[in-house]
Structure formats: structure tokens, C-alpha cells
Amino acid sequence: MGPKFDDPLYFQGDDLEVCGPTNFGPNDISLELLKVTVVDQNGVERHTPDLSIFFTAGDMWEADIDDARGVLAVGRVRGVGRGRVTVRNGNTHIIEWADHFEIIDTETFLDDVESG
């Protein structure tokens, strides 16, 4: 299993929708998403509450970080996801994935392009 973050990600209302492909391996049965943390270029950190959301092969993982607009800066950020994988023999193990990606605010995107 090798989950990734989509790039870019967008604010949805006041929340930041975090998501990406799950990238199941041949023996993977499910991914239980446990937590996602995002840190912007100013060092501001926001995260999901503790989660227990299940995804199966072919699904995209996704969750929301509440009230992130106006707290997290748009631009390049770091993200870390944490989950529990169940494999065919019934065993589970914790995985983490990290990446850099862009946050775009659709409400101000055109303003940014025009002033850029």
C-alpha cells in the first residue's frame, strides 16, 4: 500500500479537503484512515480529528480538516497521513505517508492570477 496526496488540494467552504489515491498492493484488503496533518509554510499545523474511515481497493482516501480557511496559508504545504492496512491473512499494520502539495483557495484564485 502506498497512499499519496493529490496535488493541488482545495478549500471547500471553511474546510480543507485532503485526499489522494490509496494505491493498494496485491495483498491489501482495506485502509483505515486514522489521521491527516498539514503544516503550511509558516509552520501552522492543522489536522483531522482522530478518524476511523475505511477504504477498499479502487477507492480514493479523503477527509476534511475543519475550519482551515484563514488559518492555513495557501501555497506549498507538507502533509502526513496515518492509517491501518489490513492484508489478506487478516494481519494489520500502521502506515504513514508524507508529501508536499499546493493548497489553492478557489475563492481568491482568480484574484491571485490577475495580480501575479
Side-chain angles (χ1 to χ4, degrees), residues 33-115:
L33 184 61
L34 301 174
K35 191 169 198 171
V36 180
T37 302
V38 172
V39 180
D40 71 13
Q41 65 265 28
N42 300 321
V44 175
E45 179 179 310
R46 295 290 292 186
H47 56 83
T48 62
D50 291 336
L51 303 169
S52 182
I53 305 172
F54 285 87
F55 302 94
T56 56
D59 289 343
M60 178 174 250
W61 69 267
E62 61 182 73
D64 290 324
I65 296 177
D66 296 336
D67 301 319
R69 183 190 302 272
V71 177
L72 289 174
V74 297
R76 205 79 179 139
V77 300
R78 294 176 290 139
V80 176
R82 182 175 173 83
R84 181 179 295 114
V85 176
T86 302
V87 295
R88 292 201 186 283
N89 67 7
N91 290 341
T92 63
H93 59 277
I94 299 293
I95 63 166
E96 290 189 340
W97 61 99
D99 206 353
H100 289 87
F101 54 88
E102 192 90 10
I103 294 177
I104 294 176
D105 187 343
T106 55
E107 289 184 0
T108 61
F109 179 72
L110 293 178
D111 296 337
D112 294 343
V113 171
E114 291 171 0
S115 66

Side-chain angles (χ1 to χ4, degrees), residues 20-34:
T22 50
N23 296 327
F24 273 61
N27 291 317
D28 299 331
I29 298 290
S30 67
L31 168 66
E32 179 185 8
L33 184 61
L34 301 174

